[in-house]
Amino acid sequence: MKCYLCNAIISGRYYRDGHGNCICASHYEQKEAVQCFSCGAFTYNSPEFTLLDGRHLCPVCMAQGVNSVEQIQRIKKQILYFFANEDIFFHNRTLDDVSINIVGVTEIARMRNSSISLANKGVTITKSMSSLIGMALGQKSKMTHSVYILDHLIKIEFAATLAHEFMHIWQNENGVKLEPKKCEGLCNLGSWLIYNKITSANTPYLLKSLMENPDPIYGDGFRYVYNRYQELGTEGILNLAIKGNL
Ligand SMILES: [Zn+2]
Ligand SMILES: [Zn+2]
Ligand SMILES: [Zn+2]
């Protein structure tokens, strides 16, 4: 077996990444090698491929980060198309009034009022505005949503993160109030649906990370919602969420 990084025949201990690449144990133990934040593949630990927030990326993922308005719009359309097939709709079906911004990790932490963590790849801020006249007429308050997504995410990772945030918008628009575990679990079901629609070399790795996430909120929450989804399908689960019975 050849080492993925130095190409030498591996004779002793080795490590294997989620893609099946094996490397000599010494590379990893001496920190010459790290795992790519996005795809999990082993890669050389080099300043050129390390972001200011400490994320290591492999050269492939480094070159593929979503960063243009056109890319964001394309991904957004894809998600809305797949969601519509699952009967997940929004009040404004095209979500063209939702701003989607790519920001750094500090900005995400500031928006979430939490400490800096690379586990948070996105956040949605929903504001409700009601005019006095509208209130007198019994109209619902108008909501505006802003989505913030971490910079340098590869397309499939960006799409899954955006799908997660869109599920927060769906919950906010439908007045759904769930405990954090079920709320984030339902949002992660949005990511899961996207992983099952958009195939890429990295989809299996990211899907596995989602399914096996040890986090008590995001991981256990997802597995709870996923089991209910297996029984009830999307429509059933969304109805339960609206009734507050999920
Ligand atoms: Zn090696
Ligand atoms: Zn990578
Ligand atoms: Zn969330």
Side-chain angles (χ1 to χ4, degrees), residues 36-41 57-62 154 202:
C36 170
F37 175 86
S38 287
C39 75
L57 295 178
C58 71
V60 180
C61 291
M62 188 66 137
I154 54 174
N202 293 313

